Amino acid sequence: MKVTVRVKSSSKKGVFVQPGLDGELLVHVREPAIDGKANRKVIELLSDFYDVPKTRIEIIRGLTSPIKVIKIERTE
């Protein structure tokens, strides 16, 4: 499955995943968008949100952008 994610890095609101009205996920992380710190936290949060291992989540587009397309391989 592919998911579009909008990342809010260095968020003061906290760390959480919020489904949007258009199917996009809004992910707030406290980590800055430096050296992949925010991306690693996004993968960790989505792993918990979808209950899949982190190894099954991959950023396929938008590695340096706040809008990302993420592939999630769900186990049956």
Side-chain angles (χ1 to χ4, degrees):
M1 136 172 93
K2 291 182 183 175
V3 179
T4 302
V5 174
R6 181 177 302 270
V7 178
K8 299 289 186 174
S9 59
S10 301
S11 174
K12 298 195 187 318
K13 289 185 177 182
V15 178
F16 60 92
V17 177
Q18 177 181 2
L21 297 175
D22 56 357
E24 178 179 273
L25 292 177
L26 181 61
V27 179
H28 291 263
V29 294
R30 291 189 192 271
E31 287 72 14
I34 298 173
D35 297 329
K37 292 177 184 176
N39 286 341
R40 285 191 291 275
K41 189 63 176 184
V42 166
I43 289 173
E44 184 180 318
L45 286 174
L46 291 177
S47 172
D48 292 339
F49 187 77
Y50 285 107
D51 195 29
V52 297
K54 290 185 276 190
T55 56
R56 300 239 178 214
I57 299 174
E58 177 185 6
I59 299 172
I60 57 174
R61 188 170 50 205
L63 197 60
T64 60
S65 170
I67 300 173
K68 304 178 184 309
V69 176
I70 298 181
K71 182 171 93 172
I72 301 169
E73 293 181 29
R74 300 194 100 171
T75 55
E76 301 299 320

